[in-house]
């Protein structure tokens, strides 16, 4: 966890040592450059391999489906047994959502979905995605180094392959990638005025909202291109009217530019303002008027911002913002039409280096994960969760303060202060020296997103790692047998003893269901506010422990005592379970009943106890912290939700989590600053007193000291520039 905050600078340690010595020989410099070049080459190869694997996986996922379940939006042309039925309306099935011009163009291409079983169509889409990634990488704004330019293409292609719009286009057989590619080629590849306008006009004829690029071209001085765009759109639409008059009437008049085609307009797949208003319960003339008013506000504001960034030399960002405006004001913006938001990842937000990853991470998560994974299932958050893509598009178009290239922070953000851990006992620790130890707080929004998405992924893996009832019960008998051999099979005695004492049963039931998440989140919150550096240490340890626990759930499904037939356990929390029914009631619909080994109920509580004991300044606080794992282990055994050995497993993964953090990043304590001067802001910018020991300074002192310094892509880090910031103590 926290990988977004870690950076790798090839040869950074060698460069810092050479600077301290003041001697850099020609041969040494050449050697370092060679090592750095070789490392860059390996990174580039790995990124291209990743892009290739994702592309192959996406194509295979489509081709593995039965013919009737893939490329479903091509049913307009492909009938039973691959027979074309070009007669009749394009919209008689209600599934085709494109313009009549799109139907006119695509009809000759429909044979690719016949006897070839969609292979030609699928690989054609694959080539379009690769071309889109290459053009987007070429159009990056600002002063981009050669290395960044070379790495941008495979990264862009990988992100496109992972995005929901591209995955949706592959599965449905949609062509929404084509208008995006036409716009990008017209803006960044084809030169002149007329030809770019023709390409963008064809894209608008395929997807009418792309006509918004005509005013963008006009306002940025490319008036001939704007006229050519509008003319090409009009010509293509007129041609479709002449060839398909009934379909044109159905699309433009009866369905109001396609608003009534495809899924229901209030479907979650429609991420436009129109769809959001319908989901909020607004209908009829009131909804139409409100939609028109909102669109009238979004279009000029978004286009004004796009023109500003285009004149600033950030044309790709301007194109992305215009596309986001089109998404918002379209009557229907289906999931496969939302690629514009992903292109907005090129915008730079924030004056501090530590904040630069927030916007890209937000965009990538929004475009790759469903809303239910980004936000918890709470009624209060439903309007946000259901419209998360629309909100992100509106934010990009109208609100996010992207930096101009004239800003002094565009290329040189305020650098982040790093620290080094205290010397370790073993020579090779830390094993991951590139894991930078930050002493300032991480960005709160980014941190909350990482925690939420991490928990959502954990829940999904925990749910699918069932392993089967027979294996789980067999493992349960193994655990029970081992405990009997060791003389620690106390679960049934404790379970029945607690049931006989109703106050104890109520207490342990409440403790089991109430404190599992509340206590760890509270500790993380306190550390985030009071001791940021220790927060990072504790969070990483907890993350490692949870990942190790998932491995245990996957490879060793285990039935807890309450689900073991014939042993007489009483499920005090969930009530009586029908052990003859493999579903065990409604609980199996929301959680994996066999994720018992190791026990994260006890593991997380033990993590809480260790953190409190290590960091709490008072003895009574340390003793209070130990009560939580004590009560938790009693609760999980008394309620028959875990075996004693499950708690041992939980302790093992937590110990391994702390050990991995130590081995990879070094000791928790950080080296004190050498000759530290009196801080003019003793309370820090956030008003919290800095730790006098230097272990976890609370504030942004490093950012104040380094403000205005050059930190380009190859510049030395903060720890390498200072002479010295931290004491020069050798490890081991």
């Amino acid at each position: 966890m926290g990988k977004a905050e870690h950076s790798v600078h090839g040869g950074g340690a060698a460069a810092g040592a050479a600077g301290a010595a003041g001697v850099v020989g020609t041969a040494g410099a050449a050697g370092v450059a060679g090592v750095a070049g070789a490392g860059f080459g390996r990174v580039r190869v790995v990124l291209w391999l990743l892009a290739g694997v994702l592309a192959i996986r996406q194509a295979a996922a489509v081709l593995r489906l039965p013919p009737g379940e893939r490329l479903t939006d091509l049913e307009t042309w492909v009938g039973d047994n691959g027979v074309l039925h070009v007669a009749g309306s394009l919209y008689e099935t209600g599934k085709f959502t494109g313009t009549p011009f799109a139907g006119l163009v695509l009809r000759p291409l429909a044979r690719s979905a016949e006897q070839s079983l969609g292979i030609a169509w699928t690989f054609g889409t694959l080539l379009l995605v690769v071309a889109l990634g290459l053009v987007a990488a070429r159009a990056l704004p600002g002063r981009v180094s050669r290395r960044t330019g070379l790495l941008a293409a495979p990264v862009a292609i990988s992100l496109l392959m992972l995005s929901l719009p591209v995955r949706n286009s592959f599965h449905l057989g949609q062509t929404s990638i084509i208008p995006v590619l036409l716009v990008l080629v017209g803006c960044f590849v084809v030169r002149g005025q007329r030809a770019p306008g023709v390409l963008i006009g064809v894209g608008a004829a395929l997807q009418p909202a792309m006509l918004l690029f005509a005013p963008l071209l006009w306002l940025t001085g490319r008036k001939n291109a704007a006229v050519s765009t509008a003319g090409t759109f009009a010509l293509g639409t007129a041609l479709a009217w002449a060839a398909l008059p009934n379909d044109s009437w159905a699309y433009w008049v009866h369905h109001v530019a396609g608003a009534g085609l495809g899924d229901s307009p209030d479907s979650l797949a429609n991420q436009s303002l129109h769809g959001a208003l319908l989901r909020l319960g607004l209908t009829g003339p009131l909804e139409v008027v409100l939609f028109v008013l909102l669109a009238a506000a979004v279009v000029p504001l978004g286009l004004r911002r796009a023109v500003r960034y285009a004149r600033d030399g950030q044309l790709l960002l301007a194109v992305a913002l215009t596309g986001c405006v089109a998404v918002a004001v379209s009557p229907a913006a289906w999931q496969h039409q939302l690629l514009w938001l992903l292109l907005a990842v090129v915008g730079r937000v924030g004056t501090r280096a530590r904040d630069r990853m927030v916007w890209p991470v937000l965009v990538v998560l929004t475009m790759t994960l469903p809303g239910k994974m980004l936000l918890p299932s709470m009624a209060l958050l439903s309007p946000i969760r259901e419209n998360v893509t629309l909100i992100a598009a509106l934010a990009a178009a109208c609100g996010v303060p992207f930096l101009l290239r004239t800003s002094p922070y565009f290329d040189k953000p305020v650098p982040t202060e790093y620290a080094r851990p205290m010397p370790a006992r073993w020579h090779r620790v830390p094993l991951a020296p590139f894991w930078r130890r930050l002493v300032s707080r991480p960005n709160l929004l980014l941190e909350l997103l990482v925690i939420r998405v991490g928990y959502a992924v954990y829940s999904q893996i925990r749910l699918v790692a069932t392993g089967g009832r027979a294996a789980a019960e067999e493992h349960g008998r193994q655990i029970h047998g081992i405990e009997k051999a060791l003389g620690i099979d106390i679960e049934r005695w404790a379970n029945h003893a607690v049931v006989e004492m109703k106050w104890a049963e109520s207490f342990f039931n409440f403790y089991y269901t109430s404190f599992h998440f509340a206590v760890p989140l509270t500790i993380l919150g306190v550390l985030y506010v009071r001791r940021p550096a220790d927060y990072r240490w504790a969070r990483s340890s907890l993350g490692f422990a949870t990942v190790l626990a998932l491995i245990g759930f996957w490879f060793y499904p285990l039935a807890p005592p309450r689900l073991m037939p014939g042993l007489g356990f009483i499920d005090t929390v969930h009530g009586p379970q029908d052990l003859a029914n493999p579903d065990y009631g409604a609980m199996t619909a929301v959680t994996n009943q066999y994720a018992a080994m190791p026990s994260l109920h006890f593991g997380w509580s033990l993590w809480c106890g260790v953190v409190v004991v290590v960091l709490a300044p008072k003895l009574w606080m340390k003793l209070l912290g130990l009560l939580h794992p004590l009560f938790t282990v009693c609760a999980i055994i008394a309620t028959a939700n875990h075996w004693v050995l499950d708690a041992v497993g939980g302790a093992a993964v937590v110990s391994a989590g702390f050990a991995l953090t130590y081995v990879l990043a070094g000791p928790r304590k950080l080296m004190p600053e050498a000759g530290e001067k009196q801080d003019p802001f003793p309370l820090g910018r956030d008003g919290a007193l800095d730790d006098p020991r230097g272990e976890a300074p609370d504030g942004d002192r490093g950012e104040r000291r380094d403000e205005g310094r050059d930190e380009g892509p190859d510049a030395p880090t903060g720890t390498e520039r200072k002479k010295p910031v931290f004491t020069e103590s050798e490890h081991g």
Side-chain angles (χ1 to χ4, degrees):
M1 301 179 72
K3 290 183 180 178
E5 296 148 359
H6 305 152
S7 59
V8 182
H9 295 269
V23 178
V24 180
T26 303
V32 171
V35 172
F40 168 74
R42 286 193 293 269
V43 170
R44 187 183 178 195
V45 169
V46 169
L47 289 176
W48 274 112
L49 285 175
L50 176 62
V53 168
L54 291 174
I56 294 172
R57 178 183 177 276
Q58 185 59 62
V62 175
L63 296 177
R64 279 201 306 263
L65 294 173
E69 298 180 14
R70 63 170 179 253
L71 308 178
T72 53
D73 282 3
L74 297 180
E75 291 179 359
T76 301
W77 298 282
V78 182
D80 295 336
N81 301 319
V83 178
L84 292 177
H85 57 92
V86 295
S89 172
L90 291 169
Y91 307 109
E92 63 183 0
T93 64
K95 293 184 178 181
F96 181 64
T97 60
T99 62
F101 178 79
L104 191 65
V105 171
L106 294 176
R107 269 183 172 171
L109 303 178
R111 290 187 180 275
S112 64
E114 276 190 81
Q115 302 302 327
S116 63
L117 301 179
I119 294 176
W121 189 281
T122 300
F123 280 96
T125 305
L126 191 65
L127 292 176
L128 290 177
V129 175
V130 172
L132 184 62
L134 292 174
V135 175
R138 177 181 175 180
L140 288 176
R143 295 184 293 275
V144 178
S145 67
R146 177 176 173 273
R147 290 186 174 186
T148 301
L150 290 174
L151 298 179
V155 171
I157 294 171
S158 298
L159 290 178
L160 287 170
M161 290 296 175
L162 289 171
S163 66
L164 292 172
V166 168
R167 284 149 51 191
N168 196 268
S169 297
F170 267 99
H171 175 71
L172 297 177
Q174 274 290 347
T175 58
S176 53
I177 298 172
I178 296 177
V180 179
L181 182 59
L182 288 173
V183 171
L184 291 187
V185 170
C187 290
F188 300 105
V189 178
V190 178
R191 297 187 178 184
Q193 290 274 354
R194 300 293 183 186
V198 170
L199 291 175
I200 299 173
V202 172
L206 294 171
Q207 202 173 106
M210 300 303 97
L211 198 58
L212 280 173
F213 285 95
L216 175 67
L217 294 171
W218 183 278
L219 294 172
T220 53
R222 305 179 68 181
K223 296 184 178 181
N224 290 335
V227 172
S228 182
T229 296
T232 304
F233 167 78
L235 181 61
T237 304
L239 180 63
W241 269 97
L244 304 169
N246 293 331
D247 283 339
S248 296
W249 177 269
Y251 181 87
W252 291 107
V253 179
H254 181 67
H255 290 295
V256 192
L261 297 173
D263 291 341
S264 174
D266 63 351
S267 167
L268 292 179
N270 181 12
Q271 288 293 305
S272 68
L273 284 169
H274 178 52
L277 292 175
L278 292 175
R279 285 190 290 274
L280 290 174
L282 299 174
T283 57
L286 175 62
E287 187 272 329
V288 173
V289 170
L290 188 55
F291 170 62
V292 171
L293 291 176
L294 290 173
V298 170
V299 169
L301 179 58
L303 286 179
R304 180 181 178 184
R305 281 165 49 86
V307 169
R308 182 187 183 195
Y309 290 113
R311 291 174 176 170
D312 185 57
Q314 301 186 65
L315 184 56
L316 181 58
L317 178 60
V319 168
L321 298 190
T322 305
C324 289
V325 174
V327 167
V329 302
S330 296
W334 306 114
Q335 191 177 71
H336 54 82
Q337 300 171 336
L338 305 180
L339 267 177
W340 299 107
L341 178 58
L342 186 59
L343 297 178
V345 76
V346 300
R348 301 186 184 183
V349 185
T351 60
R352 298 177 178 178
R354 69 175 186 176
D355 296 330
R356 282 292 170 88
M357 290 303 298
V358 177
W359 173 247
V361 170
L362 275 171
V363 171
V364 171
L365 291 179
T366 301
M367 297 303 293
T368 56
L369 299 177
K372 63 182 181 181
M373 292 188 69
L374 298 175
L375 292 170
S377 299
M378 299 171 57
L380 183 64
L381 298 177
S382 291
I384 301 176
R385 187 174 59 254
E386 294 174 352
N387 303 290
V388 64
T389 307
L390 171 63
I391 293 171
L394 286 173
C398 304
V400 177
F402 298 107
L403 293 176
L404 296 173
R405 293 179 63 189
T406 54
S407 169
Y409 301 107
F410 186 83
D411 288 315
K412 302 174 182 178
V414 177
T416 303
E417 181 183 17
Y418 297 98
R420 288 193 308 219
M422 295 291 286
R425 296 185 179 183
W426 293 279
H427 176 68
R428 297 186 180 276
V429 172
L431 290 180
F434 54 83
W435 185 332
R436 298 298 178 111
R437 298 289 297 273
L438 283 76
V439 297
S440 58
R441 285 189 195 89
N443 184 280
L444 181 58
L445 179 59
L446 185 61
E447 203 67 13
L448 291 175
L449 271 175
V450 169
I451 292 175
R452 168 58 196 170
V453 173
Y455 177 70
V457 173
Y458 155 75
S459 299
Q460 290 296 319
I461 296 177
R462 189 177 187 270
L463 186 60
V464 300
T466 56
R469 176 184 179 183
E473 290 182 355
E474 175 59 28
H475 293 157
R477 285 188 285 271
Q478 291 176 4
I479 293 295
H480 189 224
I482 294 173
E483 290 189 353
K484 289 179 67 176
L486 296 175
I488 57 173
D489 55 328
I490 62 171
E491 294 89 355
R492 191 178 185 280
W493 166 79
N495 178 233
H496 284 259
V498 166
V499 169
E500 293 176 0
M501 296 181 290
K502 294 303 178 183
W503 66 267
E505 179 182 357
S506 300
F507 172 77
F508 285 123
N509 286 348
F510 174 76
Y511 206 92
Y512 179 84
T513 58
S514 301
F515 292 92
H516 181 43
F517 297 108
V519 177
L521 289 176
T522 300
I523 290 176
L524 287 174
V526 171
L527 292 179
Y528 179 88
V529 173
R530 300 294 300 273
R531 308 184 69 159
D534 286 329
Y535 165 82
R536 297 174 186 275
W537 163 78
R539 177 203 58 188
S540 300
S541 303
L542 183 63
F544 281 132
T546 303
V547 170
L548 293 174
L550 286 176
I551 297 174
F553 300 156
W554 190 278
F555 289 102
Y556 197 78
L558 174 65
R562 62 185 177 84
L563 295 183
M564 287 295 294
L567 296 184
F569 286 97
I570 300 172
D571 190 343
T572 64
V573 175
H574 309 105
Q577 300 291 314
D578 180 11
L579 299 185
N581 181 1
D583 291 336
Y584 297 133
M587 282 301 298
T588 53
V590 295
T591 185
N592 177 10
Q593 301 291 281
Y594 301 139
M597 171 63 80
S599 168
L600 277 186
H601 255 85
F602 177 69
W604 285 2
S605 69
L606 180 62
W607 173 88
C608 294
V610 171
V611 170
V612 171
V613 167
V614 170
L615 299 179
K618 306 282 188 182
L619 178 60
W620 68 267
M621 295 180 182
K622 299 178 186 290
L623 295 176
L624 185 63
L626 291 176
L627 290 179
H628 180 49
L630 176 61
F631 286 156
T632 300
V633 73
C634 293
I636 63 175
I637 293 174
T639 59
N641 276 281
H642 283 284
W643 307 94
V644 172
L645 288 181
D646 294 347
V648 176
V653 295
V654 168
S655 301
F658 283 113
L660 276 174
T661 305
Y662 178 88
V663 169
L664 294 176
R668 175 188 65 84
K669 292 185 177 181
L670 302 176
M671 297 180 67
E673 298 183 4
E676 182 180 6
K677 298 180 180 179
Q678 181 67 32
D679 190 356
F681 301 94
L683 294 180
R685 288 189 175 183
D686 298 316
L689 185 63
D690 292 336
D691 191 332
R693 298 172 296 174
E695 293 179 14
D698 187 4
D700 304 313
R701 293 175 296 153
E703 291 164 357
R704 287 196 298 271
R705 285 195 296 266
D706 292 338
E707 186 168 354
R709 297 188 185 183
D710 186 1
E711 189 174 271
D714 297 321
T717 62
T719 55
E720 295 160 356
R721 280 197 297 263
K722 300 171 184 178
K723 296 186 177 180
V725 173
F726 304 101
T727 56
E728 300 295 331
S729 175
E730 296 295 332
H731 282 209

